Amino acid sequence: MKRHLPNAVTCLNLLCGCLALTNIFAGRLETGAWFVAAAAAADFADGLLARALRVSSAIGKDLDSLADMVSFGVVPGAILFTLLSQVAQRQFTDYVPPTGFWAWLPFMGFMVSIFSALRLAKFNNDTRQTTSFIGLPTPACTLVVASLPLILAHDQFGLRDLVLNPLVLLGLTVLLSGLLVAELPLFALKFKNLRWADNRRRFLFLLLAAGLLLALRAAAVPLVVLLYVLLSVPKTAAR
């Protein structure tokens, strides 16, 4: 029985991804973003549970990747597609659909979905990624994208025009797509023990991330992911 528990949590991740999609395409981006957060929590919990119960299987690994492709592959593409659609429509009246470049612009958001698929396929076949990551993990990428609707819904810092700038959205899409498949070693948040000496980088990241989230809320998420990449740089340089 216990060997099925991690897979059940993985299925919860998939369910949250599906619910995120239904809300995104219904125009409820903020609700979709919260389902992304729930999917990320389930994705973290299934691995934690599998290690705690000492159960693993090839099916569990494949199921995890398939669930991640929905929650952290299709979903961020759908969010970017919707935001870019809003940007494109702003160039026209409410009664005139976008044409030319603006009609094609929203589909650029699915670049993240394509590179997420490449990232997941690479992860499943790369023996170097057993204790760390090479390239930005898909959940981290998706949390950055999912933070955008929350920033727009609770714009405490006047970031709306920046978030809905087509160059910013396109630049973010290209940057995240590149980071997903980059040969960039990043540490994993997997604790074998709680000793400071063995987990200094992880503890520092969690403390700084908590401070940023308390101070900036959703606007902190892109900064937290940037912090994650920067804290991995010394490890990268050492190699």
Side-chain angles (χ1 to χ4, degrees), residues 162-183:
L162 179 66
V163 171
L164 292 179
N165 183 305
L167 293 179
V168 170
L169 285 174
L170 280 177
L172 183 64
T173 299
V174 172
L175 176 63
L176 290 174
S177 297
L179 286 174
L180 284 166
V181 296
E183 287 291 311

Side-chain angles (χ1 to χ4, degrees), residues 40-152:
D43 183 58
F44 180 78
D46 66 3
L48 197 65
L49 192 59
R51 289 189 294 273
L53 296 176
R54 297 181 180 179
V55 293
S56 62
S57 67
I59 290 178
K61 182 179 179 180
D62 289 342
L63 180 63
D64 187 67
S65 290
L66 291 168
D68 285 357
M69 187 56 221
V70 175
S71 298
F72 311 124
V74 180
V75 167
I79 292 174
L80 288 168
F81 172 84
T82 304
L83 291 176
L84 286 167
S85 295
Q86 294 177 10
V87 168
Q89 190 59 59
R90 288 172 69 181
Q91 310 302 316
F92 298 81
T93 67
D94 291 338
Y95 305 101
V96 178
T99 58
F101 165 79
W102 296 105
W104 289 100
L105 175 66
F107 295 97
M108 293 294 293
F110 288 115
M111 183 187 303
V112 167
S113 300
I114 293 169
F115 278 85
S116 293
L118 292 171
R119 168 76 180 88
L120 291 166
K122 181 180 177 182
F123 177 79
N124 280 353
N125 293 278
D126 192 341
T127 56
R128 298 173 298 169
Q129 300 192 58
T130 54
T131 59
S132 62
F133 298 115
I134 298 178
L136 187 67
T138 53
C141 170
T142 302
L143 287 173
V144 172
V145 175
S147 71
L148 301 180
L150 296 177
I151 292 171
L152 292 173

